Amino acid sequence: MRYIIVGGVAGGASTAARLRRLDENAEIIVFERDDYVSYANCGLPYYVGGVIPKRDSLFVQSASGLRQRYNLDVRVKNEVTEVDRTSKTVKARDLKSGKEYSERYDKLVLSPGAYPFRPSVSGIDDEAVFTIRSVGDSDRLKSFIQENKPQKALVAGGGFIGLEAAENLINLGIDVSIVEMQGQVLPPFDYEMAALVGEHLKKKMVDLILNDSLVSVSRQGKNLAVSLKSGKEIVADMIILSIGVRPDSSLAKKAGLDIGAGGGIIVDEYMRTSDPDIYALGDAVEMMHPVLGRPVAVPLAGPANKQARIVADNIVLGDVSSYQGSIGTAIVKVFGLNCAITGASGRLLKSSGIDFVSSITHGASHAGYYPGASMLSIKLMYSPDNGLVLGAQIIGQEGVDKRIDLIASVIGRKGTIYDLTRIEHAYAPPFSSAKDPVNMAGFVAENILSGKVRIIYWDDVENYRDDSLIVDVRTPFEFRAGSIDGAVNIPVDELRGRLGEFPKEKRIIIYCAIGLRGYLASRILMQKGYNVFNLSGGYMTYISAI
């Protein structure tokens, strides 16, 4: 058998290695148009910033290493330009010599990845404008920084890679402006969670410019003059483009394979394309999202590597393994703040017409009496009918990764908020609390669905202000330090003796710092017959989001 793989980075190299472990006698050819195979492109921003000091640390394997260990025919700087499905051949070009040639295949695997989006902006091809997608990209960027000693950089895009780039540039002593087209950083997150990150960035002296975009780039001596849609102009020494990626599906499209609405290659649960002898995986494909119920592209390394194993198994062993789709579990570090997401955001659920309830909880990352605990914020999305967990977002300094992984595993097996309340976790004071923040998020969701509390969201307060009494149940000291306009202060511990101050004919909006005291006050007032709503996430969420 002869297997041909197009693309030799994460998905392609993993597929090739697994194929060899399953079939020692097969001929396996890997085409990679770049200079390198099997490297960790997720580590590139940290290599640029010096956190990863050795370039060789990025490489899982070299082309020669793959040849020697796995007996693979690895052809770097060779690009597949055409697939003839009738004759089952690919046409390739040696990018060094220019020679064109063809190779026959029995099974073909497409793993071309994705390419960074470059906006149609004049001057965008200047030598001081960079992307961070490949080893070559990072080499050019690192050389530019070493040779030119830039003082000011503009990062276009406030997503995962953009924020990682900004942090690493600041660690090198370079001032950074981030320009983001949307009204928040981390566009996959919901606004009120991303707002926590935006405030953190400002504290770290990042010049954050939201609701704006690049219009033109022009050379101004040794500097770049960047004009924005708002009319603002920024002078910088360099620009990093991090405006997202697009599936590289041009080869598949040319071959007549089915392409999805988002531009990715459509595959089934066995990772087969519309041609049964051609498989595809990684950043180039679209698959059914288990929560949204529609095909989406999920450009992440974890899914690509898992898909690679499934592709190889199905090619050699038949359709023995299926991929259940990816719920987009991801995490990013932003100046010591860790931001994680899984499943669907509230915005995606709304645009997909999926009914949901959300709640926000803030709690300590480990037992409060043990030194070093920090705040952990969790937003949970779930079905109002059966409590099915649909998505989650977590922001914090400690323990974010293990909590998002817990919730992701519940979503993956179609679990509910009631499963969250029952999760058994490893507990000792340095690591968690007896009731973990994930348990607490489940408890709060259970209280909401069972009717023990009614909630209101931060962006609804103004809509209900005219016919509501807003009550701050924190201490007078906390109230004086900052409060919602028009609120009255009735501390929760005084509430039972001051019930006469609550009008029965009005809606009562209760809030505290993070929601717990508000819940206690709500329980008292609800059982006394008042029409009361607790502000989800408390004052902490409200003041960050407004």
Side-chain angles (χ1 to χ4, degrees), residues 187-217:
F189 286 66
D190 288 322
Y191 174 81
E192 64 270 31
M193 298 298 283
L196 298 171
V197 185
E199 290 300 313
H200 183 70
L201 286 168
K202 292 174 184 176
K203 291 175 183 176
K204 297 298 180 179
M205 306 306 294
V206 174
D207 177 27
L208 186 58
I209 303 168
L210 302 174
N211 294 305
D212 217 340
S213 58
L214 278 62
V215 171
S216 67
V217 177

PDB file of all heavy atoms in Angstrom, residues 187-217:
ATOM      1  N   PRO A 187     -12.040  37.245  21.396  1.00  0.00           N
ATOM      2  CA  PRO A 187     -13.372  37.178  20.784  1.00  0.00           C
ATOM      3  C   PRO A 187     -14.161  35.890  21.022  1.00  0.00           C
ATOM      4  O   PRO A 187     -15.398  35.953  21.067  1.00  0.00           O
ATOM      5  CB  PRO A 187     -13.072  37.377  19.291  1.00  0.00           C
ATOM      6  CG  PRO A 187     -11.844  38.222  19.271  1.00  0.00           C
ATOM      7  CD  PRO A 187     -11.023  37.719  20.423  1.00  0.00           C
ATOM      8  N   PRO A 188     -13.533  34.708  21.198  1.00  0.00           N
ATOM      9  CA  PRO A 188     -14.360  33.528  21.485  1.00  0.00           C
ATOM     10  C   PRO A 188     -15.083  33.589  22.829  1.00  0.00           C
ATOM     11  O   PRO A 188     -16.063  32.871  23.033  1.00  0.00           O
ATOM     12  CB  PRO A 188     -13.341  32.373  21.468  1.00  0.00           C
ATOM     13  CG  PRO A 188     -12.204  32.872  20.643  1.00  0.00           C
ATOM     14  CD  PRO A 188     -12.128  34.319  20.936  1.00  0.00           C
ATOM     15  N   PHE A 189     -14.615  34.431  23.747  1.00  0.00           N
ATOM     16  CA  PHE A 189     -15.223  34.532  25.071  1.00  0.00           C
ATOM     17  C   PHE A 189     -16.411  35.480  25.041  1.00  0.00           C
ATOM     18  O   PHE A 189     -16.539  36.327  24.153  1.00  0.00           O
ATOM     19  CB  PHE A 189     -14.205  35.051  26.091  1.00  0.00           C
ATOM     20  CG  PHE A 189     -13.160  34.050  26.509  1.00  0.00           C
ATOM     21  CD1 PHE A 189     -12.215  33.575  25.608  1.00  0.00           C
ATOM     22  CD2 PHE A 189     -13.104  33.587  27.807  1.00  0.00           C
ATOM     23  CE1 PHE A 189     -11.245  32.662  25.983  1.00  0.00           C
ATOM     24  CE2 PHE A 189     -12.139  32.672  28.206  1.00  0.00           C
ATOM     25  CZ  PHE A 189     -11.209  32.209  27.291  1.00  0.00           C
ATOM     26  N   ASP A 190     -17.266  35.368  26.043  1.00  0.00           N
ATOM     27  CA  ASP A 190     -18.353  36.331  26.191  1.00  0.00           C
ATOM     28  C   ASP A 190     -17.809  37.621  26.783  1.00  0.00           C
ATOM     29  O   ASP A 190     -16.804  37.631  27.505  1.00  0.00           O
ATOM     30  CB  ASP A 190     -19.462  35.753  27.069  1.00  0.00           C
ATOM     31  CG  ASP A 190     -20.243  34.662  26.356  1.00  0.00           C
ATOM     32  OD1 ASP A 190     -20.481  34.811  25.139  1.00  0.00           O
ATOM     33  OD2 ASP A 190     -20.597  33.662  27.003  1.00  0.00           O
ATOM     34  N   TYR A 191     -18.517  38.715  26.475  1.00  0.00           N
ATOM     35  CA  TYR A 191     -17.988  40.047  26.758  1.00  0.00           C
ATOM     36  C   TYR A 191     -17.595  40.249  28.217  1.00  0.00           C
ATOM     37  O   TYR A 191     -16.515  40.760  28.524  1.00  0.00           O
ATOM     38  CB  TYR A 191     -19.019  41.115  26.346  1.00  0.00           C
ATOM     39  CG  TYR A 191     -18.597  42.508  26.730  1.00  0.00           C
ATOM     40  CD1 TYR A 191     -17.701  43.206  25.934  1.00  0.00           C
ATOM     41  CD2 TYR A 191     -19.067  43.103  27.897  1.00  0.00           C
ATOM     42  CE1 TYR A 191     -17.290  44.482  26.289  1.00  0.00           C
ATOM     43  CE2 TYR A 191     -18.650  44.373  28.265  1.00  0.00           C
ATOM     44  CZ  TYR A 191     -17.762  45.053  27.455  1.00  0.00           C
ATOM     45  OH  TYR A 191     -17.338  46.305  27.824  1.00  0.00           O
ATOM     46  N   GLU A 192     -18.475  39.861  29.144  1.00  0.00           N
ATOM     47  CA  GLU A 192     -18.208  40.165  30.548  1.00  0.00           C
ATOM     48  C   GLU A 192     -17.001  39.411  31.087  1.00  0.00           C
ATOM     49  O   GLU A 192     -16.331  39.877  32.018  1.00  0.00           O
ATOM     50  CB  GLU A 192     -19.444  39.889  31.413  1.00  0.00           C
ATOM     51  CG  GLU A 192     -19.887  38.450  31.466  1.00  0.00           C
ATOM     52  CD  GLU A 192     -20.878  38.097  30.375  1.00  0.00           C
ATOM     53  OE1 GLU A 192     -20.812  38.703  29.279  1.00  0.00           O
ATOM     54  OE2 GLU A 192     -21.724  37.217  30.618  1.00  0.00           O
ATOM     55  N   MET A 193     -16.689  38.240  30.512  1.00  0.00           N
ATOM     56  CA  MET A 193     -15.489  37.514  30.923  1.00  0.00           C
ATOM     57  C   MET A 193     -14.248  38.132  30.291  1.00  0.00           C
ATOM     58  O   MET A 193     -13.213  38.301  30.943  1.00  0.00           O
ATOM     59  CB  MET A 193     -15.617  36.042  30.548  1.00  0.00           C
ATOM     60  CG  MET A 193     -16.764  35.320  31.234  1.00  0.00           C
ATOM     61  SD  MET A 193     -16.612  35.278  33.037  1.00  0.00           S
ATOM     62  CE  MET A 193     -15.373  33.992  33.250  1.00  0.00           C
ATOM     63  N   ALA A 194     -14.343  38.485  29.022  1.00  0.00           N
ATOM     64  CA  ALA A 194     -13.216  39.129  28.343  1.00  0.00           C
ATOM     65  C   ALA A 194     -12.892  40.477  28.964  1.00  0.00           C
ATOM     66  O   ALA A 194     -11.735  40.920  28.940  1.00  0.00           O
ATOM     67  CB  ALA A 194     -13.529  39.297  26.860  1.00  0.00           C
ATOM     68  N   ALA A 195     -13.900  41.139  29.534  1.00  0.00           N
ATOM     69  CA  ALA A 195     -13.667  42.439  30.171  1.00  0.00           C
ATOM     70  C   ALA A 195     -12.690  42.320  31.337  1.00  0.00           C
ATOM     71  O   ALA A 195     -11.900  43.243  31.595  1.00  0.00           O
ATOM     72  CB  ALA A 195     -14.990  43.028  30.652  1.00  0.00           C
ATOM     73  N   LEU A 196     -12.723  41.197  32.046  1.00  0.00           N
ATOM     74  CA  LEU A 196     -11.764  40.976  33.133  1.00  0.00           C
ATOM     75  C   LEU A 196     -10.338  40.955  32.594  1.00  0.00           C
ATOM     76  O   LEU A 196      -9.411  41.471  33.220  1.00  0.00           O
ATOM     77  CB  LEU A 196     -12.062  39.650  33.841  1.00  0.00           C
ATOM     78  CG  LEU A 196     -13.424  39.508  34.532  1.00  0.00           C
ATOM     79  CD1 LEU A 196     -13.634  38.066  34.995  1.00  0.00           C
ATOM     80  CD2 LEU A 196     -13.519  40.459  35.719  1.00  0.00           C
ATOM     81  N   VAL A 197     -10.166  40.378  31.406  1.00  0.00           N
ATOM     82  CA  VAL A 197      -8.849  40.295  30.788  1.00  0.00           C
ATOM     83  C   VAL A 197      -8.409  41.665  30.276  1.00  0.00           C
ATOM     84  O   VAL A 197      -7.238  42.049  30.399  1.00  0.00           O
ATOM     85  CB  VAL A 197      -8.853  39.264  29.650  1.00  0.00           C
ATOM     86  CG1 VAL A 197      -7.453  39.070  29.085  1.00  0.00           C
ATOM     87  CG2 VAL A 197      -9.421  37.937  30.138  1.00  0.00           C
ATOM     88  N   GLY A 198      -9.350  42.405  29.700  1.00  0.00           N
ATOM     89  CA  GLY A 198      -9.029  43.747  29.225  1.00  0.00           C
ATOM     90  C   GLY A 198      -8.516  44.648  30.325  1.00  0.00           C
ATOM     91  O   GLY A 198      -7.532  45.393  30.146  1.00  0.00           O
ATOM     92  N   GLU A 199      -9.157  44.596  31.491  1.00  0.00           N
ATOM     93  CA  GLU A 199      -8.701  45.403  32.632  1.00  0.00           C
ATOM     94  C   GLU A 199      -7.306  44.966  33.064  1.00  0.00           C
ATOM     95  O   GLU A 199      -6.463  45.798  33.430  1.00  0.00           O
ATOM     96  CB  GLU A 199      -9.688  45.268  33.794  1.00  0.00           C
ATOM     97  CG  GLU A 199     -11.029  45.936  33.555  1.00  0.00           C
ATOM     98  CD  GLU A 199     -10.887  47.430  33.303  1.00  0.00           C
ATOM     99  OE1 GLU A 199     -10.162  48.093  34.073  1.00  0.00           O
ATOM    100  OE2 GLU A 199     -11.484  47.929  32.334  1.00  0.00           O
ATOM    101  N   HIS A 200      -7.065  43.682  33.041  1.00  0.00           N
ATOM    102  CA  HIS A 200      -5.754  43.150  33.422  1.00  0.00           C
ATOM    103  C   HIS A 200      -4.675  43.641  32.460  1.00  0.00           C
ATOM    104  O   HIS A 200      -3.565  44.001  32.888  1.00  0.00           O
ATOM    105  CB  HIS A 200      -5.827  41.621  33.430  1.00  0.00           C
ATOM    106  CG  HIS A 200      -4.572  40.940  33.876  1.00  0.00           C
ATOM    107  ND1 HIS A 200      -4.127  40.974  35.174  1.00  0.00           N
ATOM    108  CD2 HIS A 200      -3.649  40.194  33.185  1.00  0.00           C
ATOM    109  CE1 HIS A 200      -3.004  40.284  35.283  1.00  0.00           C
ATOM    110  NE2 HIS A 200      -2.696  39.798  34.089  1.00  0.00           N
ATOM    111  N   LEU A 201      -4.969  43.665  31.170  1.00  0.00           N
ATOM    112  CA  LEU A 201      -4.006  44.138  30.172  1.00  0.00           C
ATOM    113  C   LEU A 201      -3.641  45.598  30.399  1.00  0.00           C
ATOM    114  O   LEU A 201      -2.474  45.991  30.287  1.00  0.00           O
ATOM    115  CB  LEU A 201      -4.579  43.954  28.767  1.00  0.00           C
ATOM    116  CG  LEU A 201      -4.626  42.526  28.227  1.00  0.00           C
ATOM    117  CD1 LEU A 201      -5.465  42.464  26.970  1.00  0.00           C
ATOM    118  CD2 LEU A 201      -3.209  42.018  27.942  1.00  0.00           C
ATOM    119  N   LYS A 202      -4.631  46.409  30.720  1.00  0.00           N
ATOM    120  CA  LYS A 202      -4.361  47.830  30.962  1.00  0.00           C
ATOM    121  C   LYS A 202      -3.450  48.021  32.167  1.00  0.00           C
ATOM    122  O   LYS A 202      -2.581  48.900  32.182  1.00  0.00           O
ATOM    123  CB  LYS A 202      -5.677  48.579  31.151  1.00  0.00           C
ATOM    124  CG  LYS A 202      -6.523  48.653  29.882  1.00  0.00           C
ATOM    125  CD  LYS A 202      -7.879  49.270  30.147  1.00  0.00           C
ATOM    126  CE  LYS A 202      -8.743  49.238  28.892  1.00  0.00           C
ATOM    127  NZ  LYS A 202     -10.121  49.761  29.148  1.00  0.00           N
ATOM    128  N   LYS A 203      -3.646  47.180  33.193  1.00  0.00           N
ATOM    129  CA  LYS A 203      -2.776  47.256  34.371  1.00  0.00           C
ATOM    130  C   LYS A 203      -1.339  46.881  34.035  1.00  0.00           C
ATOM    131  O   LYS A 203      -0.400  47.288  34.721  1.00  0.00           O
ATOM    132  CB  LYS A 203      -3.306  46.329  35.474  1.00  0.00           C
ATOM    133  CG  LYS A 203      -4.614  46.801  36.092  1.00  0.00           C
ATOM    134  CD  LYS A 203      -5.147  45.786  37.094  1.00  0.00           C
ATOM    135  CE  LYS A 203      -6.498  46.229  37.653  1.00  0.00           C
ATOM    136  NZ  LYS A 203      -7.083  45.202  38.561  1.00  0.00           N
ATOM    137  N   LYS A 204      -1.176  46.087  32.984  1.00  0.00           N
ATOM    138  CA  LYS A 204       0.150  45.674  32.545  1.00  0.00           C
ATOM    139  C   LYS A 204       0.723  46.635  31.494  1.00  0.00           C
ATOM    140  O   LYS A 204       1.684  46.299  30.797  1.00  0.00           O
ATOM    141  CB  LYS A 204       0.106  44.253  31.983  1.00  0.00           C
ATOM    142  CG  LYS A 204      -0.292  43.200  33.014  1.00  0.00           C
ATOM    143  CD  LYS A 204       0.721  43.127  34.158  1.00  0.00           C
ATOM    144  CE  LYS A 204       0.335  42.084  35.189  1.00  0.00           C
ATOM    145  NZ  LYS A 204       1.330  42.002  36.286  1.00  0.00           N
ATOM    146  N   MET A 205       0.111  47.804  31.394  1.00  0.00           N
ATOM    147  CA  MET A 205       0.600  48.888  30.531  1.00  0.00           C
ATOM    148  C   MET A 205       0.495  48.575  29.039  1.00  0.00           C
ATOM    149  O   MET A 205       1.269  49.063  28.221  1.00  0.00           O
ATOM    150  CB  MET A 205       2.048  49.259  30.876  1.00  0.00           C
ATOM    151  CG  MET A 205       2.274  49.599  32.337  1.00  0.00           C
ATOM    152  SD  MET A 205       1.153  50.895  32.946  1.00  0.00           S
ATOM    153  CE  MET A 205       1.705  52.312  31.989  1.00  0.00           C
ATOM    154  N   VAL A 206      -0.482  47.752  28.671  1.00  0.00           N
ATOM    155  CA  VAL A 206      -0.774  47.528  27.264  1.00  0.00           C
ATOM    156  C   VAL A 206      -1.744  48.606  26.791  1.00  0.00           C
ATOM    157  O   VAL A 206      -2.755  48.877  27.447  1.00  0.00           O
ATOM    158  CB  VAL A 206      -1.395  46.130  27.038  1.00  0.00           C
ATOM    159  CG1 VAL A 206      -1.821  45.956  25.592  1.00  0.00           C
ATOM    160  CG2 VAL A 206      -0.421  45.041  27.436  1.00  0.00           C
ATOM    161  N   ASP A 207      -1.420  49.231  25.670  1.00  0.00           N
ATOM    162  CA  ASP A 207      -2.314  50.219  25.060  1.00  0.00           C
ATOM    163  C   ASP A 207      -3.374  49.442  24.272  1.00  0.00           C
ATOM    164  O   ASP A 207      -3.109  48.944  23.187  1.00  0.00           O
ATOM    165  CB  ASP A 207      -1.511  51.136  24.140  1.00  0.00           C
ATOM    166  CG  ASP A 207      -2.389  52.151  23.414  1.00  0.00           C
ATOM    167  OD1 ASP A 207      -3.460  52.508  23.957  1.00  0.00           O
ATOM    168  OD2 ASP A 207      -2.009  52.567  22.304  1.00  0.00           O
ATOM    169  N   LEU A 208      -4.566  49.336  24.849  1.00  0.00           N
ATOM    170  CA  LEU A 208      -5.618  48.505  24.271  1.00  0.00           C
ATOM    171  C   LEU A 208      -6.613  49.364  23.508  1.00  0.00           C
ATOM    172  O   LEU A 208      -7.261  50.246  24.082  1.00  0.00           O
ATOM    173  CB  LEU A 208      -6.323  47.726  25.386  1.00  0.00           C
ATOM    174  CG  LEU A 208      -7.369  46.692  24.971  1.00  0.00           C
ATOM    175  CD1 LEU A 208      -6.755  45.654  24.052  1.00  0.00           C
ATOM    176  CD2 LEU A 208      -7.962  46.032  26.212  1.00  0.00           C
ATOM    177  N   ILE A 209      -6.738  49.105  22.205  1.00  0.00           N
ATOM    178  CA  ILE A 209      -7.626  49.878  21.335  1.00  0.00           C
ATOM    179  C   ILE A 209      -8.670  48.921  20.769  1.00  0.00           C
ATOM    180  O   ILE A 209      -8.352  48.031  19.967  1.00  0.00           O
ATOM    181  CB  ILE A 209      -6.839  50.551  20.188  1.00  0.00           C
ATOM    182  CG1 ILE A 209      -5.725  51.448  20.762  1.00  0.00           C
ATOM    183  CG2 ILE A 209      -7.768  51.355  19.288  1.00  0.00           C
ATOM    184  CD1 ILE A 209      -4.738  51.924  19.722  1.00  0.00           C
ATOM    185  N   LEU A 210      -9.925  49.088  21.198  1.00  0.00           N
ATOM    186  CA  LEU A 210     -11.005  48.196  20.789  1.00  0.00           C
ATOM    187  C   LEU A 210     -11.907  48.874  19.764  1.00  0.00           C
ATOM    188  O   LEU A 210     -11.852  50.087  19.568  1.00  0.00           O
ATOM    189  CB  LEU A 210     -11.814  47.775  22.012  1.00  0.00           C
ATOM    190  CG  LEU A 210     -11.030  47.066  23.122  1.00  0.00           C
ATOM    191  CD1 LEU A 210     -11.911  46.832  24.340  1.00  0.00           C
ATOM    192  CD2 LEU A 210     -10.445  45.756  22.623  1.00  0.00           C
ATOM    193  N   ASN A 211     -12.735  48.092  19.098  1.00  0.00           N
ATOM    194  CA  ASN A 211     -13.666  48.606  18.083  1.00  0.00           C
ATOM    195  C   ASN A 211     -12.942  49.413  17.014  1.00  0.00           C
ATOM    196  O   ASN A 211     -13.413  50.466  16.570  1.00  0.00           O
ATOM    197  CB  ASN A 211     -14.753  49.459  18.738  1.00  0.00           C
ATOM    198  CG  ASN A 211     -15.657  48.659  19.644  1.00  0.00           C
ATOM    199  OD1 ASN A 211     -16.236  47.663  19.215  1.00  0.00           O
ATOM    200  ND2 ASN A 211     -15.778  49.070  20.896  1.00  0.00           N
ATOM    201  N   ASP A 212     -11.802  48.920  16.584  1.00  0.00           N
ATOM    202  CA  ASP A 212     -11.006  49.648  15.591  1.00  0.00           C
ATOM    203  C   ASP A 212     -10.227  48.650  14.750  1.00  0.00           C
ATOM    204  O   ASP A 212     -10.067  47.485  15.131  1.00  0.00           O
ATOM    205  CB  ASP A 212     -10.055  50.635  16.283  1.00  0.00           C
ATOM    206  CG  ASP A 212      -9.901  51.936  15.499  1.00  0.00           C
ATOM    207  OD1 ASP A 212     -10.203  51.932  14.281  1.00  0.00           O
ATOM    208  OD2 ASP A 212      -9.489  52.943  16.104  1.00  0.00           O
ATOM    209  N   SER A 213      -9.730  49.097  13.613  1.00  0.00           N
ATOM    210  CA  SER A 213      -9.010  48.189  12.713  1.00  0.00           C
ATOM    211  C   SER A 213      -8.058  48.983  11.825  1.00  0.00           C
ATOM    212  O   SER A 213      -8.162  50.209  11.694  1.00  0.00           O
ATOM    213  CB  SER A 213      -9.995  47.408  11.843  1.00  0.00           C
ATOM    214  OG  SER A 213     -10.809  48.288  11.083  1.00  0.00           O
ATOM    215  N   LEU A 214      -7.131  48.252  11.209  1.00  0.00           N
ATOM    216  CA  LEU A 214      -6.139  48.874  10.334  1.00  0.00           C
ATOM    217  C   LEU A 214      -6.773  49.269   9.004  1.00  0.00           C
ATOM    218  O   LEU A 214      -7.538  48.507   8.420  1.00  0.00           O
ATOM    219  CB  LEU A 214      -4.978  47.906  10.070  1.00  0.00           C
ATOM    220  CG  LEU A 214      -3.866  47.797  11.117  1.00  0.00           C
ATOM    221  CD1 LEU A 214      -4.405  47.304  12.447  1.00  0.00           C
ATOM    222  CD2 LEU A 214      -2.758  46.868  10.608  1.00  0.00           C
ATOM    223  N   VAL A 215      -6.405  50.462   8.522  1.00  0.00           N
ATOM    224  CA  VAL A 215      -6.856  50.947   7.224  1.00  0.00           C
ATOM    225  C   VAL A 215      -5.691  51.018   6.247  1.00  0.00           C
ATOM    226  O   VAL A 215      -5.811  50.667   5.074  1.00  0.00           O
ATOM    227  CB  VAL A 215      -7.529  52.331   7.355  1.00  0.00           C
ATOM    228  CG1 VAL A 215      -7.807  52.939   5.985  1.00  0.00           C
ATOM    229  CG2 VAL A 215      -8.807  52.225   8.158  1.00  0.00           C
ATOM    230  N   SER A 216      -4.534  51.484   6.735  1.00  0.00           N
ATOM    231  CA  SER A 216      -3.358  51.558   5.873  1.00  0.00           C
ATOM    232  C   SER A 216      -2.092  51.546   6.712  1.00  0.00           C
ATOM    233  O   SER A 216      -2.107  51.907   7.898  1.00  0.00           O
ATOM    234  CB  SER A 216      -3.386  52.820   5.002  1.00  0.00           C
ATOM    235  OG  SER A 216      -3.241  53.982   5.806  1.00  0.00           O
ATOM    236  N   VAL A 217      -1.018  51.110   6.070  1.00  0.00           N
ATOM    237  CA  VAL A 217       0.308  51.109   6.681  1.00  0.00           C
ATOM    238  C   VAL A 217       1.246  51.804   5.706  1.00  0.00           C
ATOM    239  O   VAL A 217       1.265  51.470   4.510  1.00  0.00           O
ATOM    240  CB  VAL A 217       0.807  49.678   6.949  1.00  0.00           C
ATOM    241  CG1 VAL A 217       2.219  49.705   7.524  1.00  0.00           C
ATOM    242  CG2 VAL A 217      -0.141  48.939   7.878  1.00  0.00           C
TER     243      VAL A 217
END
